[in-house]
């Protein structure tokens, strides 16, 4: 693999940039950003190697593709904006890949690749849309976070999640496709929470069949682990183990659902719509303070 030399390898032919078997590991961040920001018809990296890339808060005008590329350092496209499609195929992210609040005006696709470390695509404002987020035969070996993302008419197909995965408050378009996933998170209780969150998001977008498939799988895991389900289809059954013993002012979602005589998934929908009693987050877990629940009940009278 050749070390990058701008004068020797950066050529623009037919208004396109094509870079093959180039090692960018020793390049400055500014050199890489200069390539990515080029005003051309297409930018393509094939069999290239990168270390750290910080492209936060940048705007990219051209379609960008990475084919058989390795990313050995931390990659950040936080708050970046892509006017055209961005595509990764046969890729490898060795360290953190971060696309927090990145705006994709067209589509973004990850196909046949591996995320060895944390991948974060959070949309903290739940306001960014694109033509589609596509995950095809992608493997996530560490935590994957898509909270607040609008997948629109994208797809999640034949992908593998080996650690906690979060799809809280996500949206899915009418032509969204999902099939053939493998969930193999070793943290079983956290894994069950992940399944519930994904199930609620799918139902909120009208994907009842896909949500039912997730629910059936969730029930199988619960049966295997002998963990009681919070919703058996007949209504909520209180379980004393759900009560927070060390803090009488905190209620779980299950406790509040029982008090309000609703199902726990209704509270999840309300949270996505900013309705209902005010939730309190401790880590990734959701609780409700007694005073917030009392205030909600008083206002509802």
């Amino acid at each position: 693999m050749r070390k990058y030399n701008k004068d020797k390898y950066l050529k623009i032919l037919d208004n396109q940039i094509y870079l093959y078997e180039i090692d960018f590991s020793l390049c400055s961040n500014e050199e890489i950003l200069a390539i990515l920001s080029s005003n051309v018809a297409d930018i393509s990296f094939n069999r290239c190697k990168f270390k750290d890339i910080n492209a936060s808060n940048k705007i990219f005008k051209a379609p960008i593709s990475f084919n058989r590329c390795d990313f050995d350092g931390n990659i950040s496209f936080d708050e970046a904006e892509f006017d055209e499609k961005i595509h990764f195929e046969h890729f490898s992210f060795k360290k953190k890949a971060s696309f927090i609040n990145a705006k994709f005006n067209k589509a973004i696709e990850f196909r046949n690749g591996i995320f060895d470390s944390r991948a974060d695509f959070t949309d903290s404002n739940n306001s960014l849309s694109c033509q589609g987020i596509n995950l095809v035969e992608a493997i996530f070996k560490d935590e994957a976070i898509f909270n607040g993302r609008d997948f629109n008419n994208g797809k999640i197909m034949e992908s593998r999640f080996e650690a906690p995965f979060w799809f809280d408050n996500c949206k899915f378009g009418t032509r969204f496709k999902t099939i053939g996933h493998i969930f193999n998170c070793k943290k079983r209780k956290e894994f069950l929470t992940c399944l519930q969150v994904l199930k609620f998001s799918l139902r909120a977008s009208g994907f009842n069949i896909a949500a039912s498939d997730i629910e059936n799988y969730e029930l199988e895991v619960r049966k295997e682990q002998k963990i009681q389900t919070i919703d058996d289809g007949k209504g909520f059954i209180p379980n004393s183990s759900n009560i927070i013993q060390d803090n009488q002012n905190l209620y779980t979602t299950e406790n509040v659902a029982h008090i309000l005589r609703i199902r726990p998934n209704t509270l999840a929908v309300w949270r996505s719509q900013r309705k209902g009693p005010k939730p309190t987050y401790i880590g990734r877990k959701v609780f409700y303070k007694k005073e917030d629940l009392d205030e909600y009940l008083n206002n509802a009278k």
Side-chain angles (χ1 to χ4, degrees):
M1 189 173 287
R2 302 163 296 177
K3 304 296 183 183
Y4 177 67
N5 182 299
K6 177 181 176 181
D7 296 329
K8 191 173 182 179
Y9 299 121
L10 184 60
K11 309 294 182 183
I12 300 177
L13 301 174
D14 297 327
N15 201 29
Q16 298 181 359
I17 293 176
Y18 180 78
L19 293 159
Y20 179 75
E21 289 191 345
I22 303 294
D23 185 351
F24 291 92
S25 299
L26 299 179
C27 289
S28 67
N29 194 63
E30 289 70 23
E31 287 180 293
I32 296 174
L33 290 181
I35 299 172
L36 295 173
S37 302
S38 299
N39 188 17
V40 294
D42 186 76
I43 301 172
S44 179
F45 299 90
N46 197 307
R47 297 183 183 276
C48 293
K49 184 177 181 180
F50 300 87
K51 198 175 181 182
D52 296 313
I53 299 177
N54 184 358
S56 300
N57 297 291
K58 302 298 180 181
I59 298 176
F60 304 102
K61 300 290 186 182
I64 304 173
S65 63
F66 298 91
N67 186 30
R68 299 185 183 278
C69 292
D70 294 327
F71 300 86
D72 294 338
N74 293 311
I75 308 300
S76 175
F77 285 96
D78 295 346
E79 308 281 349
E81 182 173 352
F82 298 89
D83 284 348
E84 299 293 337
K85 183 177 180 179
I86 178 169
H87 178 84
F88 297 83
E89 186 161 3
H90 296 289
F91 59 87
S92 174
F93 286 99
K94 299 296 185 184
K95 294 187 178 180
K96 182 180 178 181
S98 185
F99 292 80
I100 297 173
N101 293 333
K103 184 177 182 181
F104 309 111
N105 293 324
K106 292 294 177 67
I108 181 168
E109 180 166 277
F110 296 90
R111 181 182 290 269
N112 296 102
I114 300 175
F115 292 88
D116 281 318
S117 295
R118 190 169 186 254
D120 196 339
F121 296 83
T122 299
D123 174 2
S124 59
N125 298 316
N126 196 220
S127 61
L128 303 173
S129 62
C130 67
Q131 288 184 355
I133 297 177
N134 303 304
L135 308 175
V136 182
E137 296 185 41
I139 299 174
F140 296 87
K141 291 185 172 293
D142 204 337
E143 188 175 39
I145 308 171
F146 296 90
N147 293 341
R149 277 292 173 185
D150 184 351
F151 280 74
N152 205 339
N153 294 320
K155 52 182 173 284
I156 307 176
M157 303 183 71
E158 305 291 341
S159 293
R160 184 182 184 96
F161 298 87
E162 299 181 358
F165 49 93
W166 303 100
F167 291 85
D168 190 23
N169 202 19
C170 288
K171 299 176 183 177
F172 305 94
T174 56
R175 290 183 291 172
F176 173 77
K177 297 180 181 179
T178 176
I179 190 173
H181 316 307
I182 298 175
F183 301 108
N184 191 31
C185 178
K186 294 180 180 179
K187 299 179 180 179
R188 304 310 280 178
K189 289 190 176 181
E190 191 169 16
F191 174 46
L192 288 166
T193 303
C194 293
L195 288 174
Q196 290 176 335
V197 168
L198 177 56
K199 176 179 67 178
F200 296 153
S201 289
L202 287 167
R203 279 183 177 162
S205 292
F207 286 85
N208 294 323
I209 295 178
S212 295
D213 289 341
I214 295 293
E215 184 172 48
N216 290 335
Y217 181 61
E218 174 196 345
L219 292 172
E220 289 180 9
V221 175
R222 287 185 180 278
K223 183 178 180 180
E224 175 188 334
Q225 298 295 314
K226 297 181 180 180
I227 300 172
Q228 181 178 342
T229 179
I230 63 172
D231 183 358
D232 67 349
K234 299 178 182 178
F236 174 67
I237 301 176
N239 184 339
S240 60
S241 65
N242 290 326
I243 299 174
I244 306 301
Q245 300 291 345
D246 59 347
N247 192 333
Q248 297 300 317
N249 291 319
L250 282 180
Y251 295 117
T252 65
T253 296
E254 293 79 15
N255 298 148
V256 175
H258 179 59
I259 293 170
L260 298 179
R261 297 183 182 278
I262 60 176
R263 293 177 182 271
N265 60 337
T266 300
L267 283 169
V269 173
W270 283 1
R271 289 196 297 271
S272 70
Q273 298 173 343
R274 291 177 172 81
K275 293 169 55 178
K278 179 183 176 182
T280 294
Y281 295 89
I282 301 178
R284 295 195 177 280
K285 297 184 180 298
V286 182
F287 300 99
Y288 293 86
K289 293 181 180 178
K290 182 178 183 299
E291 57 264 35
D292 291 332
L293 179 59
D294 290 342
E295 180 181 355
Y296 172 78
L297 291 171
N298 290 333
N299 291 335
K301 289 181 180 179

